[in-house]
Amino acid sequence: MKMAVLRHLHTARCRVLWPSFRHLRGLRTISTATQYTLDPSNPYLDLATHSAPLPPSDALIIIPNFLSESEHSHLISECDRKIKRLCGRKYLEGHFDKVISTYRECSVSAWNGSNATRQGLSPGEAEAVVILDRAKRTVQELRDAKPIRWLDPHILDLGNGGEIRAHVDNLEASGSIIVGVSLQSPAAIVFRKSDDPSQYFTALVEARSLYIQSDELRYGYTHEIPNNPQLLLNNKHIVKDRRISIMLRDEK
């Protein structure tokens, strides 16, 4: 979730032509997905520790089951392949700004739809681009705004026992939208008011879900994923294991 400048970032280049997508299965449409906003009726939120007025309801949108089972498995496989190639098998224990522990991360310019048509991709990578492009179209439809220009996708692999401490993503590195495609394990994201950390709420993002954090929630709140094996959300025990997320951010 943290945009970082990494010494080990590279872009894979494959000598494979852009394929036909007739073989793809289980691709979801945009309009059929159920969407939950920042509202007390949202079953994926625990607002008990937030008594102050909330940001606008569309500052957080959670779309559970955004990915089909086959899409989910495919993205895990492609992320595993990419991150092992670029980062190796060993998890890093300390981030340069001390925000993340037990993690691996990389940016993948080849998966940016604006670049993809100009580069040769393997069939597996091409399918990943199709899925991520659907996520981008979903955000575009929901915001109903001028065309969004996207930065390169960012893969974050948070190992078992890893955590992300409270932070606001670099305000100079990206714009007002943060999108997360959640893979492999559920996680609870804690959002705290930057000017009053005692005011916070928790959001559950399950595997296969898409969440969109924007505007006031992007700038006025920190976000964190604690390493808490006993975490409860609305009386439900949230067991976080290894978690992969593909982060999409708009240009500033």
Side-chain angles (χ1 to χ4, degrees):
M1 298 169 65
K2 179 79 171 176
M3 177 69 75
V5 179
L6 302 174
R7 291 191 299 270
H8 55 269
L9 297 188
H10 301 283
T11 301
R13 298 178 181 271
C14 304
R15 295 185 181 88
V16 181
L17 295 177
W18 184 261
S20 164
F21 298 115
R22 296 174 183 174
H23 67 288
L24 300 187
R25 298 291 184 268
L27 293 180
R28 300 295 187 85
T29 60
I30 297 173
S31 59
T32 58
T34 302
Q35 303 151 15
Y36 295 92
T37 60
L38 185 50
D39 181 90
S41 64
N42 186 337
Y44 294 93
L45 298 181
D46 183 349
L47 300 172
T49 49
H50 195 292
S51 59
L54 290 167
S57 61
D58 61 357
L60 179 66
I61 299 174
I62 299 173
I63 306 178
N65 302 317
F66 178 80
L67 302 175
S68 68
E69 293 284 359
S70 60
E71 289 174 323
H72 180 244
S73 297
H74 182 78
L75 285 180
I76 291 174
S77 176
E78 289 301 317
C79 286
D80 269 337
R81 183 177 295 109
K82 185 68 66 175
I83 214 160
K84 286 177 182 176
R85 180 173 180 269
L86 299 182
C87 306
R89 296 179 178 273
K90 185 178 180 180
Y91 286 91
L92 302 177
E93 292 305 321
H95 199 264
F96 73 93
D97 56 8
K98 301 181 180 179
V99 166
I100 314 176
S101 64
T102 315
Y103 74 100
R104 299 180 296 178
E105 63 179 344
C106 63
S107 291
V108 189
S109 63
W111 291 6
N112 193 335
S114 61
N115 298 330
T117 55
R118 300 193 298 271
Q119 299 186 30
L121 299 177
S122 69
E125 286 186 300
E127 184 170 344
V129 170
V130 170
I131 299 169
L132 296 181
D133 279 353
R134 181 166 63 85
K136 294 174 182 178
R137 291 198 308 274
T138 298
V139 178
Q140 185 72 66
E141 282 193 2
L142 290 173
R143 291 185 68 85
D144 191 25
K146 64 182 181 180
I148 299 170
R149 295 175 61 86
W150 296 97
L151 297 171
D152 294 338
H154 186 85
I155 303 173
L156 175 58
D157 179 357
L158 194 63
N160 189 15
E163 67 177 350
I164 301 174
R165 301 174 188 91
H167 70 284
V168 175
D169 280 10
N170 188 335
L171 300 179
E172 299 303 319
S174 63
S176 64
I177 307 170
I178 301 173
V179 180
V181 180
S182 302
L183 307 175
Q184 192 145 342
S185 171
I189 305 178
V190 179
F191 295 94
R192 297 182 186 272
K193 280 181 68 69
S194 297
D195 58 1
D196 184 2
S198 68
Q199 294 289 315
Y200 66 94
F201 66 90
T202 306
L204 173 64
V205 289
E206 297 178 325
R208 298 172 49 211
S209 69
L210 180 82
Y211 72 89
I212 306 163
Q213 171 190 352
S214 62
D215 300 325
E216 185 178 339
L217 200 62
R218 157 76 167 102
Y219 297 112
Y221 283 70
T222 64
H223 56 276
E224 62 193 276
I225 296 181
N227 177 31
N228 183 357
Q230 304 301 320
L231 186 65
L232 293 174
L233 191 145
N234 294 333
N235 296 316
K236 181 179 179 181
H237 189 197
I238 308 302
V239 180
K240 183 183 75 65
D241 204 332
R242 180 196 179 203
R243 177 178 185 266
I244 301 172
S245 55
I246 303 175
M247 307 306 301
L248 307 172
R249 297 175 174 86
D250 64 326
E251 294 183 1
K252 187 175 176 63

